[in-house]
Amino acid sequence: MDSSRMELVTYMGHKNVFLFSSSGKMVMRTVDLRSDTVTKPTEAMRNAMANAEVDDDVLGYDPTAQRLEAEIARIMGKEAGLFVPSGTMGNLISVLTHCQIRGSEIILGDYSHIHIYENGGIATLGGVHPRTVKNNEDGTMDLDLIEAAIRDPSFEICYPTTRLICLENSHAHSGGRCLSAEYTDKVGELAKKYGLKLHIDGARIFNASVALGVPVHRLVRAADSVSVCLSKGLGAPVGSVVVGSKSFIAKAKILRKTLGGGMRQVGVLCAAAFIAFQENLVKLEGDHKKAKILAEELNKIKGLKVDIAAVETNIVYCDILKGSKISETEMCKTLEQHGLLILPEGPQRIRFVIHHQISENDVHYAASCVQRALAGVAEENGDK
């Protein structure tokens, strides 16, 4: 059998361990920064799933699901909760529960996850019309633009009826930027002024809470409903919980069944989510620090640009400068050959997402992979 050796390689002052075969060829390890959804269940999660106390949740008797729903609702400061398979279903159920009359309209950001990445489900399945307002770079929408988008009910002969405003915190497409409690309160006040409801897509609401140093219930106090993802920063294998009033959740449960989201012994999944809270909530601050480290190292590489000040949570957007002579798609393919998995985010932009199974050494390794990839492109183009 061929022997192998470990070597220390210094990159930007940091020592990184690389594995080499006896022939001297480097054997790449894989660092997966495509999303915080790629985590694997920990041993503690698997044990909890194996030993979970369960029953039929469609009939309303699964004790582990009941405990999880009640705990998430308590943490979020709401009356009740409902476990659903995904954040997309959580958002869809929330919108349709608030907009039970077909032809209703909701106001949401033009770069929001609900509008861009959820298959147009609110319109396709619910007959709900989206009215977009421009998202600012920090994920907010200007209050005056939101107010201007609210339809005049006296002209309902032509207009759809505005019934809901949707926010997203943290705001993924803005690079994980956080919406303050004060801003959310103002949107909530605007909603009440016009008799509307407010829903928050809280896919990474705990990241926002940690980054802002504000309790999560305070961030969503103005909201009538929140969809809380368990399988992103918290690292659970499956699921989200929708929270709101008892009457709201009662209606939402019926819609979950209609959409095919009623599950039986769902406590098997909920048990893993309990462990995710115990193990990984405390790790979010470290994820954010590692994202900052990655942003700073990428920004030092010739041909790249990162807005370091915009890195507030666990997402890093990196712009590829025109002189680098490589597209975002080509960059992702090249980096995959180096063992680094990332996703393109748009023209000349790539995205890195830190999660609890990424170490600081992984971060330094990722930066070194990017540097080597760009150096290879420069060499192929004859640049010095």
Side-chain angles (χ1 to χ4, degrees):
M1 294 178 65
D2 289 341
S3 61
S4 60
R5 70 183 190 276
M6 302 294 291
E7 288 190 1
L8 281 173
V9 177
T10 300
Y11 166 73
M12 290 186 175
H14 302 285
K15 294 186 181 299
N16 296 274
V17 180
F18 295 94
L19 178 64
F20 290 82
S21 68
S22 58
S23 64
K25 184 177 180 181
M26 187 164 66
V27 180
M28 295 296 176
R29 77 188 201 228
T30 298
V31 175
D32 194 342
L33 301 181
R34 291 173 297 168
S35 179
D36 46 10
T37 61
V38 302
T39 57
K40 305 300 187 292
T42 64
E43 191 63 31
M45 289 181 192
R46 295 178 187 275
N47 289 336
M49 293 169 75
N51 297 298
E53 185 182 3
V54 299
D55 203 325
D56 191 323
D57 186 54
V58 173
L59 299 180
Y61 293 113
D62 191 294
T64 307
Q66 289 177 347
R67 287 197 297 270
L68 178 67
E69 290 166 346
E71 179 63 8
I72 299 297
R74 183 192 67 79
I75 291 171
M76 307 301 289
K78 304 302 179 185
E79 291 182 346
L82 180 69
F83 183 85
V84 295
S86 69
T88 293
M89 183 180 282
N91 286 329
L92 178 61
I93 287 174
S94 298
V95 171
L96 300 193
T97 301
H98 288 304
C99 302
Q100 297 189 333
I101 299 175
R102 293 182 66 86
S104 298
E105 184 171 76
I106 70 170
I107 296 171
L108 73 174
D110 64 342
Y111 264 21
S112 66
H113 195 279
I114 293 176
H115 184 59
I116 298 176
Y117 295 114
E118 298 184 6
N119 294 111
I122 60 171
T124 304
L125 301 177
V128 175
H129 185 258
R131 189 169 200 199
T132 60
V133 171
K134 179 178 174 56
N135 277 120
N136 299 315
E137 290 186 359
D138 63 358
T140 63
M141 297 176 283
D142 290 345
L143 295 173
D144 58 344
L145 293 181
I146 295 176
E147 187 167 20
I150 298 171
R151 301 290 188 174
D152 181 354
S154 67
F155 203 45
E156 63 182 357
I157 188 68
C158 292
Y159 292 158
T161 301
T162 308
R163 288 194 165 86
L164 179 66
I165 301 172
C166 294
L167 298 177
E168 180 183 335
N169 199 11
S170 67
H171 198 272
H173 209 63
S174 296
R177 303 288 292 274
C178 305
L179 276 58
S180 70
E182 293 75 17
Y183 171 79
T184 304
D185 286 348
K186 290 177 182 178
V187 177
E189 291 169 4
L190 187 59
K192 287 182 179 179
K193 177 181 176 181
Y194 289 92
L196 312 179
K197 299 297 184 181
L198 173 62
H199 171 70
I200 295 179
D201 174 359
R204 295 182 176 90
I205 191 67
F206 289 100
N207 289 90
S209 173
V210 169
L212 294 171
V214 177
V216 69
H217 65 84
R218 177 65 186 87
L219 288 181
V220 301
R221 187 171 67 185
D224 297 284
S225 61
V226 188
S227 178
V228 184
C229 188
L230 307 171
S231 65
K232 290 189 171 69
L234 295 179
V238 179
S240 291
V241 173
V242 175
V243 297
S245 67
K246 290 180 180 179
S247 61
F248 173 86
I249 293 301
K251 296 174 183 177
K253 190 169 185 177
I254 296 171
L255 268 172
R256 183 185 69 172
K257 178 66 172 173
T258 303
L259 294 171
M263 297 170 285
R264 302 299 178 182
Q265 287 71 37
V266 73
V268 171
L269 300 177
C270 295
F274 272 118
I275 300 299
F277 272 101
Q278 295 169 12
E279 289 186 341
N280 300 330
L281 188 58
V282 296
K283 297 179 182 179
L284 293 180
E285 185 176 3
D287 292 345
H288 300 172
K289 289 179 180 178
K290 281 176 271 192
K292 277 285 190 182
I293 292 171
L294 179 61
E296 289 167 356
E297 295 201 355
L298 291 173
N299 198 46
K300 294 176 184 176
I301 299 174
K302 183 180 179 181
L304 300 180
K305 177 64 178 177
V306 178
D307 182 356
I308 296 175
V311 180
E312 297 179 356
T313 54
N314 64 324
I315 300 175
V316 179
Y317 280 176
C318 180
D319 292 317
I320 305 169
L321 302 181
K322 292 182 179 180
S324 300
K325 299 178 182 178
I326 186 171
S327 70
E328 72 283 355
T329 303
E330 292 168 336
M331 173 69 86
C332 292
K333 290 180 179 179
T334 301
L335 290 175
E336 185 174 354
Q337 297 171 5
H338 287 266
L340 176 60
L341 304 180
I342 61 170
L343 291 176
E345 185 57 31
Q348 297 303 109
R349 173 169 279 198
I350 50 180
R351 187 185 80 163
F352 303 76
V353 184
I354 304 296
H355 51 80
H356 75 95
Q357 291 176 334
I358 294 297
S359 67
E360 188 171 330
N361 185 265
D362 289 331
V363 167
H364 299 313
Y365 179 81
S368 67
C369 286
V370 175
Q371 186 180 53
R372 291 199 307 274
L374 282 173
V377 172
E379 186 176 338
E380 289 177 6
N381 287 285
D383 297 338
K384 293 184 180 180

